[in-house]
Amino acid sequence: MDKEQFNDLLNKYKQNKLSKEEEILFEKELDKYESYQDFLDGESEKDYKKTISNPPSKHMKSLNKGKRKAIISNALMTIAIALMILPMCTIFSFVYYGYGIADSRGNNFIQVAADTISITEPNATVDFQNIRTNVGLFSMEGDFDIYKQIGNNQKHLRTDNLTLFLNKVDQPERLKDFNAQKFSHPENPSLSTTNDVNQQLQNLPDGTVSEVFVSLDAFYSEEEIKNIFSDIELDILWYAVNTGIVDDTKYTAIGYPAQDGDINSSFNNKEENSKQFIQVLNRLNKYQDWAETITQNRSLNINEVTKFIDENGIEIYGVVVTGPTKELLKLNEIPEVTNQNLGGVELWNWR
Protein backbone atom coordinates (compact mmCIF):
# COMPACT_ATOMS: atom_id res chain seq x y z
CA MET A 1 0.00 0.00 0.00
CA ASP A 2 1.53 3.31 -1.03
CA LYS A 3 1.30 6.60 0.85
CA GLU A 4 -1.61 8.03 -1.18
CA GLN A 5 -3.73 4.89 -0.77
CA PHE A 6 -3.03 4.88 2.98
CA ASN A 7 -3.98 8.55 3.34
CA ASP A 8 -7.17 8.02 1.31
CA LEU A 9 -8.24 5.08 3.44
CA LEU A 10 -7.32 7.01 6.64
CA ASN A 11 -9.60 9.91 5.66
CA LYS A 12 -12.48 7.59 4.81
CA TYR A 13 -11.90 5.69 8.09
CA LYS A 14 -12.18 8.95 10.04
CA GLN A 15 -15.39 9.84 8.15
CA ASN A 16 -16.89 6.32 8.60
CA LYS A 17 -17.17 5.88 4.82
CA LEU A 18 -15.47 2.48 4.74
CA SER A 19 -17.44 -0.73 4.46
CA LYS A 20 -17.29 -3.15 7.34
CA GLU A 21 -14.79 -5.38 5.57
CA GLU A 22 -12.62 -2.42 4.48
CA GLU A 23 -12.67 -1.04 8.01
CA ILE A 24 -11.49 -4.39 9.48
CA LEU A 25 -8.68 -4.63 6.93
CA PHE A 26 -7.56 -1.05 7.54
CA GLU A 27 -7.49 -1.47 11.37
CA LYS A 28 -5.20 -4.49 10.90
CA GLU A 29 -2.97 -2.29 8.78
CA LEU A 30 -2.94 0.35 11.56
CA ASP A 31 -1.95 -2.30 14.09
CA LYS A 32 1.11 -3.06 11.97
CA TYR A 33 2.13 0.61 11.84
CA GLU A 34 1.69 0.92 15.63
CA SER A 35 4.00 -2.09 16.15
CA TYR A 36 6.57 -0.48 13.86
CA GLN A 37 6.37 2.78 15.81
CA ASP A 38 6.81 1.03 19.18
CA PHE A 39 9.87 -0.72 17.81
CA LEU A 40 11.38 2.51 16.51
CA ASP A 41 10.70 4.32 19.79
CA GLY A 42 12.42 1.52 21.69
CA GLU A 43 15.47 1.66 19.47
CA SER A 44 15.72 5.45 19.89
CA GLU A 45 15.66 5.12 23.67
CA LYS A 46 18.40 2.46 23.53
CA ASP A 47 20.55 4.70 21.37
CA TYR A 48 20.09 7.60 23.79
CA LYS A 49 21.03 5.49 26.81
CA LYS A 50 24.00 4.12 24.94
CA THR A 51 25.16 7.63 24.17
CA ILE A 52 24.90 8.58 27.85
CA SER A 53 26.51 5.48 29.34
CA ASN A 54 29.13 4.62 26.76
CA PRO A 55 32.53 6.46 26.66
CA PRO A 56 33.05 9.09 23.97
CA SER A 57 34.07 8.06 20.55
CA LYS A 58 37.65 8.11 19.33
CA HIS A 59 36.96 11.42 17.68
CA MET A 60 35.71 12.95 20.95
CA LYS A 61 38.69 11.47 22.78
CA SER A 62 41.01 13.19 20.34
CA LEU A 63 39.23 16.49 20.81
CA ASN A 64 39.43 16.26 24.62
CA LYS A 65 43.06 15.27 24.48
CA GLY A 66 43.76 18.28 22.27
CA LYS A 67 42.03 20.58 24.75
CA ARG A 68 44.11 19.20 27.63
CA LYS A 69 47.30 19.66 25.67
CA ALA A 70 46.36 23.25 24.87
CA ILE A 71 45.64 24.04 28.54
CA ILE A 72 48.93 22.47 29.67
CA SER A 73 50.84 24.28 26.91
CA ASN A 74 49.34 27.63 27.92
CA ALA A 75 50.15 27.01 31.58
CA LEU A 76 53.75 26.06 30.77
CA MET A 77 54.10 29.10 28.54
CA THR A 78 52.79 31.38 31.30
CA ILE A 79 55.24 29.87 33.82
CA ALA A 80 58.12 30.20 31.36
CA ILE A 81 57.30 33.86 30.72
CA ALA A 82 57.05 34.52 34.48
CA LEU A 83 60.41 32.83 35.06
CA MET A 84 61.96 35.04 32.40
CA ILE A 85 60.32 38.25 33.63
CA LEU A 86 61.14 37.74 37.33
CA PRO A 87 64.95 37.78 36.89
CA MET A 88 64.64 40.76 34.56
CA CYS A 89 62.57 42.65 37.15
CA THR A 90 65.07 41.72 39.86
CA ILE A 91 67.96 42.96 37.74
CA PHE A 92 66.00 46.15 37.06
CA SER A 93 65.54 46.63 40.84
CA PHE A 94 69.28 46.24 41.52
CA VAL A 95 70.12 48.71 38.76
CA TYR A 96 67.36 51.11 39.88
CA TYR A 97 68.68 51.29 43.46
CA GLY A 98 72.38 50.81 42.72
CA TYR A 99 72.98 52.98 39.67
CA GLY A 100 75.36 55.79 40.51
CA ILE A 101 77.18 53.81 43.22
CA ALA A 102 77.94 56.44 45.91
CA ASP A 103 75.12 58.68 44.68
CA SER A 104 72.71 55.83 43.99
CA ARG A 105 69.08 55.86 45.04
CA GLY A 106 69.79 53.10 47.56
CA ASN A 107 72.65 54.95 49.23
CA ASN A 108 70.61 58.14 49.31
CA PHE A 109 67.78 56.24 50.99
CA ILE A 110 70.13 54.98 53.72
CA GLN A 111 71.69 58.42 54.18
CA VAL A 112 68.33 60.22 54.36
CA ALA A 113 67.03 57.74 56.95
CA ALA A 114 70.11 58.21 59.15
CA ASP A 115 70.11 62.00 58.68
CA THR A 116 66.41 62.29 59.54
CA ILE A 117 66.71 60.23 62.72
CA SER A 118 69.84 62.12 63.82
CA ILE A 119 68.28 65.59 63.58
CA THR A 120 64.68 64.86 64.65
CA GLU A 121 65.20 62.46 67.56
CA PRO A 122 67.17 63.94 70.46
CA ASN A 123 70.08 61.74 71.55
CA ALA A 124 69.36 59.07 68.92
CA THR A 125 72.06 57.71 66.61
CA VAL A 126 72.05 55.08 63.87
CA ASP A 127 74.61 52.28 63.98
CA PHE A 128 76.11 52.69 60.51
CA GLN A 129 78.26 49.59 60.83
CA ASN A 130 75.23 47.30 61.07
CA ILE A 131 72.67 48.71 58.65
CA ARG A 132 71.09 45.71 56.91
CA THR A 133 69.66 46.20 53.42
CA ASN A 134 67.83 43.95 51.00
CA VAL A 135 66.76 44.66 47.42
CA GLY A 136 63.48 43.00 46.47
CA LEU A 137 61.11 43.25 43.54
CA PHE A 138 60.83 47.00 42.84
CA SER A 139 61.71 47.70 46.49
CA MET A 140 64.57 48.17 48.92
CA GLU A 141 64.35 47.42 52.62
CA GLY A 142 66.63 48.62 55.41
CA ASP A 143 66.94 47.71 59.09
CA PHE A 144 68.40 50.51 61.21
CA ASP A 145 69.58 49.85 64.78
CA ILE A 146 69.09 53.02 66.82
CA TYR A 147 70.93 53.76 70.06
CA LYS A 148 70.90 56.46 72.72
CA GLN A 149 73.59 57.35 75.21
CA ILE A 150 72.86 57.21 78.95
CA GLY A 151 75.92 57.72 81.10
CA ASN A 152 78.92 56.44 79.21
CA ASN A 153 77.14 53.55 77.50
CA GLN A 154 75.12 53.30 74.32
CA LYS A 155 71.76 51.64 74.89
CA HIS A 156 69.81 49.99 72.07
CA LEU A 157 66.62 51.96 71.65
CA ARG A 158 64.88 50.11 68.80
CA THR A 159 65.28 48.82 65.26
CA ASP A 160 63.47 50.68 62.50
CA ASN A 161 62.48 48.76 59.39
CA LEU A 162 62.08 51.12 56.45
CA THR A 163 61.01 50.17 52.93
CA LEU A 164 61.51 52.16 49.75
CA PHE A 165 59.00 50.96 47.12
CA LEU A 166 60.28 52.38 43.83
CA ASN A 167 60.67 56.01 44.97
CA LYS A 168 58.18 56.11 47.87
CA VAL A 169 59.04 55.38 51.52
CA ASP A 170 56.50 53.32 53.43
CA GLN A 171 55.37 54.61 56.83
CA PRO A 172 57.48 52.88 59.52
CA GLU A 173 55.73 50.99 62.31
CA ARG A 174 56.71 52.05 65.82
CA LEU A 175 55.47 50.96 69.21
CA LYS A 176 55.31 54.48 70.61
CA ASP A 177 55.70 58.11 69.66
CA PHE A 178 59.44 58.73 69.82
CA ASN A 179 59.03 62.25 68.46
CA ALA A 180 57.00 63.67 71.33
CA GLN A 181 58.02 67.22 72.18
CA LYS A 182 60.66 67.23 74.91
CA PHE A 183 61.72 70.89 74.88
CA SER A 184 60.08 74.19 75.72
CA HIS A 185 60.68 77.02 73.25
CA PRO A 186 61.73 80.36 74.87
CA GLU A 187 59.19 82.30 72.82
CA ASN A 188 56.35 79.88 73.66
CA PRO A 189 57.18 78.24 77.00
CA SER A 190 55.18 75.21 78.11
CA LEU A 191 54.09 74.24 81.60
CA SER A 192 57.20 73.56 83.68
CA THR A 193 57.91 70.00 84.76
CA THR A 194 61.16 70.86 86.56
CA ASN A 195 59.79 70.16 90.04
CA ASP A 196 58.57 66.72 89.00
CA VAL A 197 61.95 65.89 87.46
CA ASN A 198 63.75 67.17 90.53
CA GLN A 199 61.67 64.89 92.77
CA GLN A 200 62.30 61.92 90.49
CA LEU A 201 66.04 62.51 90.50
CA GLN A 202 66.06 62.79 94.29
CA ASN A 203 64.24 59.46 94.62
CA LEU A 204 66.64 57.62 92.33
CA PRO A 205 69.58 55.83 94.03
CA ASP A 206 73.15 57.13 93.94
CA GLY A 207 74.39 54.30 91.74
CA THR A 208 72.53 55.43 88.63
CA VAL A 209 73.06 57.66 85.64
CA SER A 210 70.27 59.61 83.93
CA GLU A 211 69.32 61.42 80.75
CA VAL A 212 67.64 64.83 81.00
CA PHE A 213 66.14 67.10 78.32
CA VAL A 214 66.91 70.68 79.36
CA SER A 215 65.15 73.81 78.02
CA LEU A 216 66.77 77.25 78.23
CA ASP A 217 65.44 80.77 78.63
CA ALA A 218 66.97 82.17 75.42
CA PHE A 219 69.05 81.26 72.38
CA TYR A 220 72.74 80.46 72.82
CA SER A 221 75.78 79.38 70.86
CA GLU A 222 77.60 76.10 71.45
CA GLU A 223 80.38 77.87 73.34
CA GLU A 224 77.89 79.66 75.59
CA ILE A 225 76.09 76.37 76.29
CA LYS A 226 79.32 74.71 77.37
CA ASN A 227 80.06 77.59 79.72
CA ILE A 228 76.56 77.40 81.25
CA PHE A 229 77.02 73.74 82.25
CA SER A 230 80.76 73.86 82.95
CA ASP A 231 80.38 73.49 86.73
CA ILE A 232 78.35 70.26 86.53
CA GLU A 233 79.81 66.83 85.84
CA LEU A 234 77.84 65.83 82.77
CA ASP A 235 78.05 65.27 79.04
CA ILE A 236 76.13 67.36 76.54
CA LEU A 237 74.72 64.97 73.93
CA TRP A 238 72.37 66.89 71.62
CA TYR A 239 71.47 70.50 70.76
CA ALA A 240 67.90 71.66 69.98
CA VAL A 241 68.05 74.43 67.37
CA ASN A 242 65.62 77.30 66.84
CA THR A 243 63.71 76.78 63.58
CA GLY A 244 61.44 79.81 63.84
CA ILE A 245 58.39 77.54 64.30
CA VAL A 246 57.03 78.28 67.78
CA ASP A 247 53.23 78.03 67.60
CA ASP A 248 52.92 74.37 66.59
CA THR A 249 52.94 72.37 69.85
CA LYS A 250 53.16 69.10 67.89
CA TYR A 251 56.20 70.21 65.89
CA THR A 252 59.22 67.96 66.31
CA ALA A 253 62.34 69.60 67.63
CA ILE A 254 65.25 69.70 65.18
CA GLY A 255 68.86 69.68 66.24
CA TYR A 256 72.16 67.86 65.99
CA PRO A 257 74.48 65.70 68.11
CA ALA A 258 77.00 67.43 70.32
CA GLN A 259 79.47 64.56 70.00
CA ASP A 260 81.06 62.90 66.99
CA GLY A 261 79.67 59.62 65.77
CA ASP A 262 80.95 56.87 63.52
CA ILE A 263 83.26 57.92 60.67
CA ASN A 264 80.51 56.95 58.18
CA SER A 265 77.69 58.66 60.06
CA SER A 266 76.06 61.98 59.31
CA PHE A 267 78.06 63.59 62.12
CA ASN A 268 81.72 62.56 62.30
CA ASN A 269 85.03 64.19 63.17
CA LYS A 270 85.69 65.51 59.65
CA GLU A 271 84.08 68.87 60.43
CA GLU A 272 82.33 70.67 63.24
CA ASN A 273 78.91 69.18 63.89
CA SER A 274 77.23 72.56 63.39
CA LYS A 275 78.57 72.72 59.82
CA GLN A 276 77.58 69.12 59.18
CA PHE A 277 74.10 69.98 60.47
CA ILE A 278 73.73 72.56 57.67
CA GLN A 279 74.93 69.97 55.15
CA VAL A 280 72.35 67.47 56.41
CA LEU A 281 69.54 70.03 56.05
CA ASN A 282 70.62 70.78 52.48
CA ARG A 283 70.62 67.06 51.65
CA LEU A 284 67.18 66.57 53.16
CA ASN A 285 65.82 69.47 51.12
CA LYS A 286 65.89 67.12 48.11
CA TYR A 287 64.07 64.36 49.99
CA GLN A 288 61.56 66.18 52.18
CA ASP A 289 58.80 63.63 51.48
CA TRP A 290 61.08 60.80 52.59
CA ALA A 291 62.11 62.68 55.73
CA GLU A 292 58.53 63.54 56.70
CA THR A 293 57.46 59.92 56.29
CA ILE A 294 60.41 58.55 58.28
CA THR A 295 59.90 60.97 61.16
CA GLN A 296 56.09 60.62 60.94
CA ASN A 297 55.73 64.39 60.82
CA ARG A 298 53.98 65.66 57.68
CA SER A 299 54.77 69.27 58.56
CA LEU A 300 58.53 69.02 59.02
CA ASN A 301 59.08 71.95 56.62
CA ILE A 302 62.76 71.26 55.98
CA ASN A 303 62.86 73.91 53.24
CA GLU A 304 61.56 76.66 55.54
CA VAL A 305 63.77 75.53 58.41
CA THR A 306 66.86 75.61 56.18
CA LYS A 307 66.08 79.13 54.99
CA PHE A 308 65.48 80.33 58.55
CA ILE A 309 68.79 78.92 59.84
CA ASP A 310 70.67 80.32 56.84
CA GLU A 311 69.32 83.77 57.69
CA ASN A 312 69.57 83.63 61.49
CA GLY A 313 72.39 81.18 62.15
CA ILE A 314 72.33 78.34 64.66
CA GLU A 315 70.52 79.34 67.85
CA ILE A 316 70.37 76.68 70.57
CA TYR A 317 67.53 76.68 73.10
CA GLY A 318 67.70 73.15 74.50
CA VAL A 319 70.14 70.34 75.20
CA VAL A 320 70.16 66.68 76.14
CA VAL A 321 72.58 65.91 78.95
CA THR A 322 73.60 62.79 80.82
CA GLY A 323 75.57 62.18 83.98
CA PRO A 324 75.38 60.87 87.54
CA THR A 325 71.80 61.21 88.74
CA LYS A 326 72.62 63.19 91.87
CA GLU A 327 74.93 65.48 89.93
CA LEU A 328 72.08 66.40 87.61
CA LEU A 329 70.18 67.85 90.57
CA LYS A 330 72.51 70.85 90.20
CA LEU A 331 70.63 71.79 87.02
CA ASN A 332 68.12 73.51 89.33
CA GLU A 333 70.85 75.98 90.33
CA ILE A 334 71.41 77.22 86.77
CA PRO A 335 69.29 80.36 86.12
CA GLU A 336 69.20 79.80 82.36
CA VAL A 337 67.37 76.47 82.78
CA THR A 338 63.60 76.91 82.48
CA ASN A 339 62.33 73.37 82.11
CA GLN A 340 63.44 69.74 82.38
CA ASN A 341 62.20 66.34 81.22
CA LEU A 342 63.63 63.09 82.50
CA GLY A 343 64.65 60.55 79.89
CA GLY A 344 66.26 57.17 80.50
CA VAL A 345 67.89 55.92 83.68
CA GLU A 346 70.55 53.19 83.89
CA LEU A 347 72.73 51.59 86.53
CA TRP A 348 76.08 53.23 87.19
CA ASN A 349 78.38 53.31 84.17
CA TRP A 350 80.06 56.66 84.65
CA ARG A 351 83.78 57.33 84.25
Side-chain angles (χ1 to χ4, degrees):
M1 181 183 296
D2 60 20
K3 184 178 179 181
E4 290 182 2
Q5 289 176 333
F6 177 81
N7 289 336
D8 183 54
L9 289 172
L10 180 61
N11 289 329
K12 290 179 179 180
Y13 177 78
K14 291 179 180 179
Q15 297 172 8
N16 294 321
K17 292 181 178 181
L18 293 176
S19 64
K20 193 64 174 177
E21 292 178 357
E22 287 176 333
E23 186 176 327
I24 292 172
L25 290 173
F26 184 72
E27 286 179 349
K28 289 181 179 180
E29 194 70 25
L30 287 176
D31 289 341
K32 291 180 184 179
Y33 282 109
E34 186 176 352
S35 297
Y36 295 153
Q37 188 62 47
D38 290 341
F39 174 78
L40 291 175
D41 290 342
E43 290 299 313
S44 298
E45 186 176 354
K46 287 179 182 179
D47 290 341
Y48 176 75
K49 291 182 177 178
K50 185 177 180 181
T51 303
I52 298 297
S53 60
N54 288 351
S57 64
K58 290 182 179 180
H59 181 65
M60 290 302 296
K61 286 183 177 179
S62 298
L63 288 176
N64 291 336
K65 187 176 181 180
K67 289 180 180 179
R68 288 195 297 271
K69 283 185 176 181
I71 292 172
I72 293 172
S73 297
N74 290 336
L76 291 175
M77 181 65 70
T78 302
I79 293 172
I81 293 173
L83 290 176
M84 286 190 295
I85 291 176
L86 187 60
M88 293 174 61
C89 292
T90 302
I91 292 172
F92 167 80
S93 298
F94 275 98
V95 173
Y96 183 78
Y97 293 111
Y99 180 75
I101 308 176
D103 194 34
S104 66
R105 196 180 309 270
N107 280 340
N108 288 334
F109 168 58
I110 292 171
Q111 189 67 57
V112 167
D115 286 348
T116 302
I117 292 168
S118 296
I119 71 167
T120 61
E121 296 193 31
N123 190 26
T125 57
V126 174
D127 181 5
F128 262 82
Q129 298 296 328
N130 294 299
I131 295 176
R132 300 170 296 283
T133 60
N134 178 54
V135 176
L137 198 60
F138 305 125
S139 65
M140 178 177 176
E141 189 175 272
D143 289 325
F144 300 82
D145 291 328
I146 300 172
Y147 290 80
K148 68 187 304 184
Q149 182 176 337
I150 303 177
N152 285 340
N153 292 349
Q154 294 286 332
K155 177 186 177 182
H156 183 262
L157 184 60
R158 69 180 189 275
T159 298
D160 273 0
N161 177 269
L162 302 174
T163 300
L164 182 64
F165 185 77
L166 290 178
N167 199 42
K168 181 178 178 61
V169 178
D170 285 346
Q171 188 80 36
E173 294 183 4
R174 291 174 179 166
L175 297 178
K176 58 182 292 188
D177 182 10
F178 288 96
N179 293 333
Q181 189 62 270
K182 298 178 175 69
F183 299 100
S184 177
H185 197 279
E187 295 177 0
N188 187 21
S190 58
L191 184 65
S192 177
T193 58
T194 297
N195 291 335
D196 293 337
V197 172
N198 186 54
Q199 185 175 358
Q200 290 173 320
L201 293 175
Q202 287 177 340
N203 291 333
L204 288 170
D206 287 336
T208 57
V209 290
S210 298
E211 170 196 35
V212 179
F213 301 85
V214 181
S215 299
L216 303 173
D217 61 345
F219 305 125
Y220 299 93
S221 66
E222 276 191 38
E223 198 61 37
E224 291 171 328
I225 295 290
K226 292 174 182 177
N227 289 333
I228 289 172
F229 297 101
S230 60
D231 292 335
I232 303 178
E233 186 182 359
L234 52 73
D235 283 341
I236 300 173
L237 303 177
W238 198 83
Y239 297 116
V241 177
N242 181 29
T243 62
I245 301 174
V246 298
D247 296 329
D248 189 350
T249 57
K250 295 181 180 180
Y251 186 78
T252 300
I254 287 181
Y256 62 94
Q259 301 183 10
D260 296 333
D262 182 85
I263 188 65
N264 297 313
S265 70
S266 309
F267 297 91
N268 48 58
N269 57 8
K270 295 179 182 179
E271 285 187 280
E272 296 177 3
N273 284 4
S274 57
K275 293 181 179 180
Q276 293 184 99
F277 174 57
I278 301 299
Q279 295 170 7
V280 167
L281 289 176
N282 289 328
R283 279 200 300 269
L284 292 182
N285 267 331
K286 304 175 184 178
Y287 302 97
Q288 179 156 309
D289 287 343
W290 289 8
E292 289 180 345
T293 302
I294 292 169
T295 195
Q296 297 181 335
N297 186 340
R298 300 308 299 179
S299 59
L300 198 56
N301 297 323
I302 292 293
N303 294 331
E304 295 181 15
V305 168
T306 303
K307 291 178 183 178
F308 179 86
I309 293 176
D310 285 343
E311 294 174 0
N312 297 276
I314 294 179
E315 302 173 324
I316 299 169
Y317 70 94
V319 294
V320 181
V321 300
T322 187
T325 298
K326 299 307 178 185
E327 188 73 11
L328 295 179
L329 286 168
K330 296 179 181 179
L331 291 171
N332 298 314
E333 302 170 5
I334 298 177
E336 291 86 353
V337 173
T338 58
N339 204 358
Q340 300 176 46
N341 279 289
L342 181 63
V345 178
E346 294 290 322
L347 293 176
W348 186 266
N349 59 42
W350 197 246
R351 48 186 176 269

